[in-house]
Amino acid sequence: MRKKVVITLAILLFIVFTGCTNTEKNNIKPNESNVTTDSKENDEYKETTESKEVNDSKEIKVADVQILSLDSGEFNLTEIFNNNDLEKLSLQELSLLRNSIYAKNGYKFSTEEFHNYFSKFEWYKPISKDVDKLLSQIDNENIKNIILIEEQSESWIKNSKDDKELSREMDVMVPLFGPAEKETLYITREKLDYEGGNLPTKITLNTGHNKKVFESTWNDGIYVSVVDFNENDDEIDIYITETGTDIGCTTHIYKISHGSIYPYTRFEHFGKDFLYDGKGNIYYWFNTTGKSIINTCFNYKTRESSNIWDQSIQTRLNKLFKDTEAYKENTNETNSTEKDDKRIKVAELNYYEDLDLDGNKEEINIVFKADDVDSSYRASAFIISIKKNGKKALHHEFNCYIWDYELKFISCKDKMYFYVQDEGPSDDPNATIFELCEDGINVVLRVGGYIIDYDYDGNIYTSYSYTNDKNKVLLTYYNIKDGLKHPSNDEIIGKILQYNCNMVLYKKKNIAGGHRVSSISEEHAETLKREIAASNIDTGIVKIADINESVKIVEVDYDFYERFPNMVRNIPIKVETKDGLSGWLFWLNGGD
């Protein structure tokens, strides 16, 4: 949610026209490289636009009193800002305050978010991209001070990558620091007794005076660290990051104060790592564009998040995110002086295989490269080169996220194919299949899941091909020539599913967007049954099937994900029980 910023504009009864002339005459401008240029090459502080001349014939009237209200305080845009007040602001607030000075002087923003934001106010009259001559001495002084604080703020920012993770050992004793330095925190990690979940985990936090228990039934890892998000208060913070089975994560913040522990707030983000500045501001990646860039600020004092519009701040934050010892250690990063060396080579392998079945083996060279954004993955790209009869057939780079440096082969009746297994940025594995053609290397197919089997006719089976029950019913597979395939209705309708846990049958297949998990533990099943019996509200549940109860498939909805026609995981299946009840099951194949 974007921060609500209220600007109160008080227009005095008159404005002395000559005041604009005097202001321009006595104007003290900051360093040009910091504030006045508007190009990508020279200015990383001001919103990136192209320059245009001001029409000097226009009279620009600016109110003598303008107040910008931010979550961290109010600022009179006609007075010199107090540096102590500026130091309390997040980088996002500093950017908004800096750009408001240009906005009140008629700056024409090209960044859509800034333009839309300031266009809400009657006083904003965009006239040009070059308003430097209109800036007053106070404006320039404030801009200079904001930029200095922005630069200082970057030095205060810390990276969660560098925080010591305390949750891998079963029992950890942590002497606390700061205002709680005489206290000790005990952290206990144990497996949660919960069937049907993914890595069910129980974390216990104990100061001796107080104890809190955190439970997660569905995650791909839990990370616990002790930090101080806000160095201005007398409390120490614990953050528990619960990684999702896709790239989405949730960080839960607990506070320790005088021996007491209490849950404070939480925020959702992509990727398990983030930045924080000790002032209560947390910077992280949260978007759906697929670009892993720091673009969101969460103020944990106000419990509100805002998008970071300023691309220069995004760039600098992402540099800070990568420019850490943890990142360098994981990627073997060196102080290379080559400007185009954006990624570091991490592995190189050579193979010899007869790819076109002509009796001669081709020389295959593959180079894997380290990820330049997220060090959680060992490689994010690979370059394949193939030589046939001593001549290079192709040299091409492919982007993906890789754990294992290995090329694998599929031998079919017409030729030899090869593929690289991709972990995916959200832990959704894929494999890219290639073939050698007359004009080089061709991408044949991209399949979802881990390739677990194939046949001579080119049919490929993955970890998402079968239901994850005892009977392993085939739902999807691939053919190298024809792509994604499904069994016919005659081959799948009537098949029996049998799970070693309780299964929830739902009336509708659009419950929670199809992401409701049907498999639950026995304890959860009993609790849910009691809640259903005591409630007069329609829960949307048909039945909770018993452990190992047999149910019959009556329908499979391959078209459920309209936006993703090639979706092969978590396919909704309608089943019928022996007592004649029918309902939908979710997350049955490849369901994390």
Side-chain angles (χ1 to χ4, degrees):
M1 179 177 90
R2 295 178 181 167
K3 291 181 182 292
K4 296 181 179 178
V5 181
V6 179
I7 296 184
T8 306
L9 176 61
I11 303 179
L12 299 185
L13 295 178
F14 64 92
I15 296 177
V16 181
F17 177 70
T18 56
C20 296
T21 305
N22 292 335
T23 298
E24 182 177 331
K25 182 178 180 180
N26 297 322
N27 181 28
I28 299 176
K29 299 176 70 175
N31 186 293
E32 290 291 329
S33 64
N34 286 337
V35 298
T36 58
T37 183
D38 207 21
S39 66
K40 292 183 179 179
E41 292 80 5
N42 299 322
D43 181 31
E44 63 176 357
Y45 292 100
K46 189 173 173 184
E47 189 259 349
T48 305
T49 55
E50 66 274 12
S51 297
K52 288 187 178 180
E53 294 296 327
V54 177
N55 185 345
D56 292 333
S57 63
K58 291 186 178 181
E59 176 181 343
I60 309 301
K61 294 185 178 181
V62 180
D64 291 331
V65 180
Q66 292 179 340
I67 304 297
L68 180 65
S69 296
L70 302 173
D71 284 343
S72 303
E74 289 189 346
F75 293 85
N76 188 328
L77 300 183
T78 64
E79 298 177 354
I80 296 294
F81 301 148
N82 185 300
N83 281 357
N84 291 332
D85 294 333
L86 292 177
E87 290 177 355
K88 298 176 184 178
L89 303 183
S90 68
L91 287 174
Q92 167 68 359
E93 289 176 312
L94 287 168
S95 170
L96 188 59
L97 182 59
R98 172 166 45 81
N99 278 283
S100 67
I101 298 173
Y102 290 98
K104 76 184 183 71
N105 285 282
Y107 186 79
K108 185 181 291 185
F109 294 95
S110 62
T111 298
E112 182 179 359
E113 289 83 0
F114 279 119
H115 173 78
N116 292 342
Y117 174 76
F118 289 115
S119 294
K120 297 177 182 178
F121 306 101
E122 294 183 0
W123 55 264
Y124 177 54
K125 306 296 183 183
I127 54 127
S128 174
K129 294 183 180 298
D130 185 3
V131 297
D132 294 320
K133 293 181 180 180
L134 301 176
L135 298 177
S136 68
Q137 181 175 348
I138 290 177
D139 289 338
N140 281 289
E141 185 69 17
N142 283 334
I143 291 171
K144 181 179 69 174
N145 290 337
I146 290 173
I147 290 173
L148 289 175
I149 298 299
E150 284 180 325
E151 293 173 344
Q152 292 174 10
S153 296
E154 292 179 16
S155 66
W156 301 334
I157 289 178
K158 301 175 183 178
N159 197 320
S160 66
K161 291 173 183 282
D162 297 326
D163 293 332
K164 183 179 179 182
E165 185 200 334
L166 303 170
S167 58
R168 286 302 181 190
E169 301 177 35
M170 294 302 293
D171 297 292
V172 181
M173 182 179 69
V174 185
L176 299 180
F177 49 87
E181 61 182 352
K182 295 182 180 180
E183 300 172 5
T184 300
L185 173 68
Y186 298 90
I187 302 176
T188 302
R189 178 191 183 98
E190 57 187 302
K191 183 178 180 181
L192 185 64
D193 186 14
Y194 184 90
E195 294 187 16
N198 193 73
L199 299 180
T201 303
K202 178 180 178 180
I203 301 288
T204 302
L205 309 173
N206 191 348
T207 63
H209 303 285
N210 191 223
K211 181 172 68 174
K212 290 295 180 183
V213 175
F214 173 85
E215 294 183 352
S216 174
T217 59
W218 203 273
N219 66 84
D220 266 0
I222 302 290
Y223 302 88
V224 182
S225 292
V226 177
V227 296
D228 197 356
F229 282 130
N230 184 9
E231 297 173 355
N232 296 319
D233 62 19
D234 61 351
E235 298 167 316
I236 297 299
D237 306 301
I238 307 169
Y239 74 77
I240 303 177
T241 297
E242 180 183 22
T243 62
T245 47
D246 57 14
I247 203 168
C249 301
T250 302
T251 291
H252 306 260
I253 300 175
Y254 288 77
K255 278 184 173 291
I256 300 178
S257 179
H258 305 293
S260 297
I261 306 174
Y262 61 95
Y264 183 69
T265 188
R266 70 178 186 176
F267 63 96
E268 296 180 350
H269 51 104
F270 287 178
K272 69 180 182 64
D273 297 306
F274 49 84
L275 303 171
Y276 58 94
D277 62 7
K279 298 188 292 184
N281 301 303
I282 303 171
Y283 304 94
Y284 54 90
W285 165 35
F286 189 84
N287 62 23
T288 56
T289 64
K291 296 180 180 179
S292 51
I293 57 175
I294 304 295
N295 64 356
T296 307
C297 176
F298 177 79
N299 186 304
Y300 95 144
K301 293 179 289 185
T302 63
R303 296 173 174 83
E304 292 187 348
S305 62
S306 60
N307 295 328
I308 298 174
W309 301 332
D310 195 324
Q311 293 183 1
S312 67
I313 290 180
Q314 287 187 10
T315 300
R316 282 158 24 224
L317 284 173
N318 281 281
K319 184 179 186 302
L320 290 171
F321 187 66
K322 294 183 294 181
D323 200 14
T324 63
E325 292 303 317
Y327 176 81
K328 293 177 180 178
E329 180 180 348
N330 288 335
T331 59
N332 297 321
E333 186 173 342
T334 60
N335 294 324
S336 173
T337 57
E338 297 182 24
K339 294 182 179 179
D340 58 349
D341 189 17
K342 296 181 179 179
R343 290 177 174 148
I344 309 300
K345 183 172 69 175
V346 294
E348 182 174 359
L349 301 173
N350 291 284
Y351 300 86
Y352 294 89
E353 288 288 342
D354 184 5
L355 298 175
D356 51 8
L357 304 182
D358 64 352
N360 298 313
K361 290 186 177 181
E362 283 72 41
E363 179 183 345
I364 307 169
N365 172 263
I366 180 168
V367 176
F368 297 91
K369 290 187 169 185
D371 183 19
D372 61 352
V373 174
D374 190 346
S375 59
S376 301
Y377 299 96
R378 291 175 59 184
S380 66
F382 57 94
I383 298 176
I384 295 179
S385 300
I386 296 180
K387 288 184 179 179
K388 183 175 177 62
N389 300 324
K391 297 180 179 180
K392 184 181 292 186
L394 187 70
H395 180 85
H396 195 79
E397 179 171 340
F398 301 91
N399 293 314
C400 65
Y401 290 85
I402 305 163
W403 276 110
D404 297 320
Y405 307 131
E406 187 177 5
L407 198 68
K408 300 179 182 180
F409 298 89
I410 298 175
S411 179
C412 297
K413 57 186 176 183
D414 56 345
K415 65 172 61 178
M416 181 82 73
Y417 299 87
F418 56 97
Y419 68 93
V420 174
Q421 190 70 55
D422 176 3
E423 286 293 328
S426 59
D427 199 24
D428 297 336
N430 295 277
T432 305
I433 302 174
F434 306 91
E435 66 176 346
L436 179 63
C437 302
E438 291 295 329
D439 56 350
I441 299 174
N442 180 42
V443 178
V444 178
L445 191 62
R446 183 120 168 115
V447 305
Y450 297 104
I451 294 180
I452 59 175
D453 198 8
Y454 67 91
D455 60 31
Y456 192 61
D457 294 324
N459 294 316
I460 299 172
Y461 305 90
T462 76
S463 53
Y464 296 158
S465 291
Y466 302 91
T467 58
N468 49 19
D469 71 322
K470 293 181 178 180
N471 297 327
K472 305 296 181 186
V473 177
L474 178 65
L475 293 178
T476 65
Y477 64 99
Y478 296 88
N479 182 272
I480 284 185
K481 300 294 184 183
D482 301 327
L484 180 61
K485 305 278 289 183
H486 304 302
S488 65
N489 285 338
D490 293 339
E491 295 174 297
I492 194 170
I493 301 302
K495 294 282 187 180
I496 301 298
L497 299 178
Q498 193 176 16
Y499 286 85
N500 60 356
C501 61
N502 294 100
M503 300 294 291
V504 180
L505 280 66
Y506 295 97
K507 292 180 181 180
K508 299 179 180 180
K509 58 184 175 183
N510 62 346
I511 291 181
H515 295 290
R516 181 72 61 87
V517 180
S518 285
S519 59
I520 59 174
S521 68
E522 186 174 7
E523 180 181 0
H524 188 190
E526 293 302 320
T527 301
L528 192 56
K529 288 177 182 178
R530 289 194 296 269
E531 291 177 353
I532 294 173
S535 175
N536 295 323
I537 301 174
D538 185 2
T539 61
I541 295 176
V542 175
K543 179 183 179 180
I544 300 176
D546 295 332
I547 297 174
N548 293 321
E549 179 177 346
S550 297
V551 294
K552 181 175 64 175
I553 297 176
V554 295
E555 184 180 346
V556 180
D557 189 357
Y558 291 110
D559 301 321
F560 181 71
Y561 301 94
E562 296 180 358
R563 294 179 54 196
F564 308 101
N566 294 322
M567 176 68 76
V568 294
R569 60 185 297 196
N570 306 330
I571 297 172
I573 298 177
K574 190 174 186 179
V575 298
E576 184 179 283
T577 63
K578 289 183 178 180
D579 48 3
L581 299 177
S582 61
W584 289 92
L585 299 178
F586 300 103
W587 290 52
L588 302 182
N589 71 308
D592 301 313

